[in-house]
């Protein structure tokens, strides 16, 4: 059976390793994980997300804004995150309310749609 | 004792960043202090993939029957927006509909942790999905594929 997610992989254009670490590592506070030696040299950057992983790969020629596909992160203080995102210059996109949850999405610096959702 | 040490450290770090902001004039220095605060992101909540509208029924069948994921009811506020939700190991996968996306153009994917990789390899072949071998990594067996709609998927099993 499928036990759950192991990871989600998103991609960014080449030459953005610093920006990836700044946004997903520092800005969102995800701890970086070592990439196995067999996969080194491919430009992969891995992060821990709760007990799962986010893998960031590299590829060119993808219009990331063309799709609504996304990864959603559960956060503990959504109001605070919302303030930080605004302070960080991100445009916030509101979504229909779901009872018991507060949520919004942004586009990461590479155009990947990112949703944040928190229990209220 | 531990708490007071942690509080002291936090104050120290905060002060250092305040100072960094004051000295460098970088307005983001203070911002970064709060942005790096731990425990803001608890985990993955869901991932959304999309399929063409003409294939929605096939997709619901693939993710529900072939992958065996349990369909869950969407919240009332979202029920008239289309899309189908499934539960996956305490998280969710949302299946949305959209046109004009070349899903095969990207390596972005979702990786499913499984407890019997060989079963899934056979099950994919039976359903006309072609397993492709991935670069081996220690501690895991895995393969990747494209779902019938072009979304890349990975099956991965912890071994040893």
């Amino acid at each position: 059976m499928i036990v759950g997610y192991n990871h989600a992989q998103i991609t960014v254009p080449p030459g953005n390793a610093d920006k990836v670490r700044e946004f997903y590592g520092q800005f969102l506070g995800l701890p970086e994980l070592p990439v196995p030696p067999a996969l080194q040299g491919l430009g992969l950057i891995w992060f821990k997300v709760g007990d799962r992983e986010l893998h960031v790969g590299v590829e060119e020629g993808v219009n990331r804004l063309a799709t609504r596909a996304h990864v959603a992160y559960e956060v503990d203080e959504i109001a605070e995150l919302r303030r930080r995102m605004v302070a960080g210059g991100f445009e916030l996109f509101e979504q229909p309310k779901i009872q018991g949850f507060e949520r919004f999405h942004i586009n990461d610096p590479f155009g990947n749609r990112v949703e944040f959702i928190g229990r209220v | 004792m531990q708490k007071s040490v942690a509080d002291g450290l936090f104050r120290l770090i905060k002060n250092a960043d305040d100072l960094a902001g004051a000295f460098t004039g970088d307005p983001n220095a203070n911002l970064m202090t709060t942005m790096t605060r731990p425990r803001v992101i608890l985990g993955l909540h869901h991932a959304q993939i999309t399929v063409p509208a003409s294939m929605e029924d096939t997709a619901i069948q693939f993710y529900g029957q072939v992958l065996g994921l349990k369909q869950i009811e969407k919240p009332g506020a979202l029920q008239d927006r289309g899309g189908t939700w499934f539960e996956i190991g305490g998280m969710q996968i949302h299946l949305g509909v959209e046109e004009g996306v070349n899903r095969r153009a990207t390596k972005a994917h979702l990786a499913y942790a499984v407890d019997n990789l060989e079963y899934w390899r056979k099950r994919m072949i039976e359903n006309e999905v072609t397993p492709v071998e991935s670069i081996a990594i220690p501690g895991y067996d895995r393969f990747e594929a494209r779902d019938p709609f072009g979304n890349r998927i990975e099956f991965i099993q912890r071994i040893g």
Side-chain angles (χ1 to χ4, degrees), chain A:
Chain A
M1 65 178 282
I2 292 181
V3 181
Y5 288 121
N6 175 274
H7 64 264
Q9 174 162 313
I10 60 166
T11 70
V12 301
N16 280 293
D18 289 349
K19 223 183 212 183
V20 167
R21 290 192 169 96
E22 186 185 338
F23 181 76
Y24 285 97
Q26 293 180 286
F27 205 112
L28 296 187
L30 301 178
E32 187 168 342
L33 293 168
V35 172
L39 300 180
Q40 282 172 11
L42 301 173
L44 288 165
I45 302 175
W46 289 10
F47 296 98
K48 194 166 164 53
V49 187
D51 57 359
R52 310 298 149 119
E53 296 173 12
L54 172 72
H55 294 179
V56 182
V58 168
E59 69 189 353
E60 288 184 274
V62 176
N63 177 7
R64 296 172 180 83
L65 294 170
T67 180
R68 290 186 289 116
H70 63 266
V71 177
Y73 301 92
E74 183 163 354
V75 302
D76 64 351
E77 293 177 42
I78 187 113
E80 185 187 327
L81 187 66
R82 188 186 283 274
R83 282 193 293 274
R84 280 187 236 165
M85 285 293 157
V86 172
F90 288 90
E91 184 178 0
L92 271 50
F93 301 91
E94 303 301 330
Q95 294 173 342
K97 300 288 176 217
I98 307 177
Q99 199 173 6
F101 290 93
E102 175 70 28
R103 63 191 191 128
F104 64 90
H105 79 261
I106 62 159
N107 294 315
D108 77 5
F110 321 100
N112 294 294
R113 182 164 163 164
V114 181
E115 181 176 331
F116 298 103
I117 183 164
R119 291 170 200 279
V120 289

Side-chain angles (χ1 to χ4, degrees), chain A residues 11 59 62 64, chain B residues 102-109 146 150 152:
Chain A
T11 70
E59 69 189 353
V62 176
R64 296 172 180 83
Chain B
N102 178 7
R103 296 170 182 84
R104 292 180 183 275
T106 179
K107 292 184 287 173
H109 63 267
R146 294 278 169 181
R152 184 174 169 182

